Amino acid sequence: MSEERIQSEKMAIFLKGLWKENPVFVMLLGMCPTLAVTNSVTNALVMGVATMAVLTLSNILVSSLRKLIPAQVRIATYILIIATFVTVADYAIKAASLEVHKALGAFIALIVVNCIILGRAEAFASKNSVGKAALDGLGMGLGFTFALFLLGAVREVLGNGSFLGMPLFGERFQPVTLMILPGGAFFVLGAYLLLFNWLKKRKAEKEEEKIVFFTGEESI
Amino acid sequence: MVTEQYWFIFLNAALINNFVLSSFLGICPFLGVSGKISTASRMGAAVAFVMLIASLSAYAIHQALVALNAEYLQLISYIVVIASAVQLVEMVIKKFSPALFRALGIFLPLITTNCAILGLALFQTNRHYDFFQSLSFALGAGAGFTIALVVMAGIREELQLSSVPDVLKGAGITLMVAGILSMAFMGFAGLGGNG
C-alpha cells in the first residue's frame, strides 16, 4: 500500500514538469533559448535534450551535496556545478555534430544562465533526495523539450515548409519567412500562450456550468 | 571581421542585431521589469554598466586562458567573474552613491543570471574582437538593451489603458508586442550587413 503511494508520488514529481508546471508555458522560465533556437525542429530538440541532461545531472549532484554546501555560498556553488555540466554538454555536441553546434552557437554555453536549471536546483534539488531530484530534472527537462518541439515544429513548417529538414509541401509552397525570423518566435509563443489560456478558461467555465447544473437539480 | 569599424560594431549591437529583439538575450528582464519606464531605464543603465565591466574582464580572462592553454575553463571562469563583478559593482555603488543603490534595489544582484551579460562575453570571444572592438561592442549592447527595455515599457504603460482580450492578458500580449517591435527593428538591417 505505502509502496504504491510512493510510486504514485514519484510519478507526480515526474509528470508535473510535463504539463501542470511546464517551465516554458506555465512558469515562463528559460525564455532566451526557447525563442532563439526554435527556428528548426532539429535545433529545438538538440537544445531540449542538452538542457535536460544538464538539468538532471546538476539536480543529482546538487541533491547529493545538499548537506555539504553551506547556505551562504549555495548559489555560487550551484552555478559552478551547472557550468561544469554545460561545458561537458558543449564539448559533447561539438564532437557529435559540428553543424548543429554551429547552428546553436553561443546558446549551448548560455544554458548556464537558464533560469530553469538554477531554479530547480534552489527550489527542489536542494531540499529532496537524489532519486526525487533526478526524476524532477527528467520531468522538467522533458517538459522543456516538449515546449521547444512545439515551437520549433510550427516555426519550421510555416517558415521553411519542412519538418526535421525534410520538405513537406510541393514546389509551389510559399514559406512565411517571418516565422523563422526573430519576430516569428515571439508571435508563435504568444499564440501558444493564448491557446492554453483559452483552454484553461473553457475548462473553468465548463466546471462552473456543472456546479450550476448540480445545484439547480438539488433545489428541485 | 577584425577590421570592422568601431562605430559599426556599436550600431550593429545596439540596433541592427539588437541584443534583446533579434538575438534573444536578456528576455527575462525584458518581460519582467518592463512594466514602468522609470524602473526599465534604471535596469537598462545597471545592465549596461555591468556589461562594460564584464566585457573588459572577459577580454582579459580570454587572453590569460589562451596563454595557459586552458580554454575549456572559459565558461566557468566567465560566470564566476561576472558574478564577482556584479558583487563588486554593488559594493562600489553602495559606497559612493547610496541613492543610486537604493534606486536599483533588487535588480543589481539579479543581473548575474542575465544571459545578455554572459552572451556578450561569449560573442566577443567567438568573434575575436580586440580590446577596443570589445569596448564598443559592450557599449552598443548596453545601449541596445536599454533602448529595447524603455521602448517596451513605454508601450506597456499605454497598454494598461486599453482593453486587451481576456485570453491575451499578461504574458500573451507582451509577447505579441515584442514580436511587432522585433519586426520594426528588422528595418534597421538596411543600415548595414549582419555580423
Side-chain angles (χ1 to χ4, degrees), chain A residues 39-42 152-169 173 175 180:
Chain A
N39 49 4
S40 80
V41 179
T42 323
V154 169
R155 288 183 69 193
E156 192 180 339
V157 168
L158 288 180
N160 204 22
S162 62
F163 188 80
L164 280 170
M166 286 175 293
L168 284 181
F169 309 108
F173 177 71
I180 46 173

Side-chain angles (χ1 to χ4, degrees), chain B residues 95-119:
Chain B
K95 176 93 182 146
F96 288 103
S97 167
L100 183 64
F101 180 75
R102 273 198 301 277
L104 288 174
I106 183 72
F107 297 141
L108 261 179
L110 276 184
I111 294 172
T112 314
T113 49
N114 184 338
C115 49
I117 314 270
L118 186 64

Side-chain angles (χ1 to χ4, degrees), chain A residues 32 36 107 110 113 183 197 201, chain B residues 23-25 79 115 166-167 182:
Chain A
C32 306
F107 278 97
L110 284 175
V113 279
N197 265 348
K201 230 182 141 178
Chain B
S23 305
F24 300 113
L25 294 167
I79 193 81
C115 49
D166 260 3
V167 281
S182 165

Side-chain angles (χ1 to χ4, degrees), chain A residues 23-24 29-30 32-34 37 43-59 82 85-86 89-90 93 104 107-118 120 136-146 148:
Chain A
V24 176
L29 289 176
C32 306
T34 309
V37 298
N43 287 355
L45 284 181
V46 172
M47 186 68 194
V49 171
T51 308
M52 181 165 74
V54 173
L55 182 56
T56 313
L57 291 173
S58 63
N59 255 6
I82 296 166
F85 285 122
V86 171
D90 190 23
I93 292 174
L104 292 177
F107 278 97
I108 302 172
L110 284 175
I111 296 177
V112 180
V113 279
N114 190 329
C115 345
I116 299 173
I117 301 180
L118 193 62
R120 289 329 284 174
D136 176 74
L138 275 176
M140 283 285 162
L142 265 182
F144 184 68
T145 313
F146 175 63
L148 252 62

